[in-house]
Amino acid sequence: MMQRKTRNPEQTRNDLLDAAYNEILESGFQAASLERILANTSVSKGALYHHFGTKRDLGLAVINEVIGPQLEERWFTMLAQHDNPISGLYNLIAEKISHADESVIRYGCPLNNLIQEMSPLDESFRQGLQKIIERWTEVIARALKEGQSAGQVRPDTNPEDIALYIVASIEGCVGLGKNAQSIDAYQRCLRQLQVYIQSLAV
């Protein structure tokens, strides 16, 4: 007698989140198709609604459980590994420049995409996205403050203001490159941000 295959609930949830993230990245949240998400996971509609009561719940989970942790891994953890915030920020941006490819220009930044699309429409989306922005700026500001204490960052600068400007610049560079469909424009914009970051050094 054949054994019925059972799915691990945690793996099912993660598969749905990964598929939803990719679908939202390609199509935006409002145009995202639950049917395509299900087709890409082989998960039943019943299982989807067991984990996420609505499409909106799924979208909010993507923000909190996929996009937020992505930034944590790609920015926050990596910045903490550098003793000098100036070289740390410079090198992180250098990595973005060297790894720039067509996917960045085609899809843009998932965080910024959702900010533009959903923040004016849904307060829960706006709050979830704002929480990530605040966390990002907080991490950079803290690193810059520590750099000031270590004599690495100019004392006449405001870490919170600089952190906000750096985050806005990064997101702006991605949006500019996406709209221009130009990797070169994206990279040039980031290089100017590197120049600014270097100017913060003592």
Side-chain angles (χ1 to χ4, degrees), residues 14-187:
N14 290 336
D15 288 346
L16 286 167
L17 285 170
D18 288 343
Y21 168 81
N22 289 322
E23 174 68 12
I24 292 169
L25 186 63
E26 291 185 12
S27 304
F29 174 74
Q30 294 177 87
S33 164
L34 292 179
E35 286 71 23
R36 284 195 295 267
I37 292 170
L38 292 173
N40 289 328
T41 57
S42 299
V43 173
S44 69
K45 186 172 287 189
L48 168 65
Y49 286 116
H50 170 75
H51 289 281
F52 308 100
T54 64
K55 178 182 172 182
R56 178 174 178 270
D57 291 340
L58 178 58
L60 291 171
V62 167
I63 292 171
N64 296 322
E65 299 178 43
V66 182
I67 296 175
Q70 271 186 357
L71 272 173
E72 194 79 38
E73 178 184 351
R74 296 175 185 177
W75 275 97
F76 312 158
T77 302
M78 296 299 292
L79 183 57
Q81 294 175 1
H82 291 268
D83 295 329
N84 186 320
I86 301 299
S87 61
L89 288 165
Y90 185 95
N91 290 337
L92 282 170
I93 293 171
E95 184 179 349
K96 297 295 179 187
I97 293 170
S98 64
H99 287 86
D101 58 20
E102 292 295 335
S103 66
V104 176
I105 303 310
R106 179 179 178 186
Y107 300 121
C109 170
L111 175 64
N112 195 34
N113 290 348
L114 282 172
I115 287 173
Q116 297 297 323
E117 179 188 6
M118 295 303 298
S119 286
L121 305 177
D122 189 296
E123 180 62 14
S124 294
F125 271 79
R126 190 197 67 77
Q127 290 179 5
L129 296 162
Q130 180 62 20
K131 184 178 178 181
I132 296 174
I133 292 291
E134 289 175 355
R135 169 69 175 149
W136 195 356
T137 55
E138 174 193 335
V139 168
I140 295 175
R142 184 168 64 245
L144 291 170
K145 285 180 182 177
E146 292 172 357
Q148 285 180 327
S149 298
Q152 299 163 333
V153 178
R154 282 169 37 200
D156 62 333
T157 58
N158 184 305
E160 287 84 4
D161 291 349
I162 292 169
L164 190 63
Y165 176 72
I166 289 173
V167 169
S169 297
I170 292 166
E171 293 296 271
C173 288
V174 178
L176 185 150
K178 177 183 177 182
N179 193 66
Q181 286 294 287
S182 169
I183 294 175
D184 179 62
Y186 168 65
Q187 292 172 322

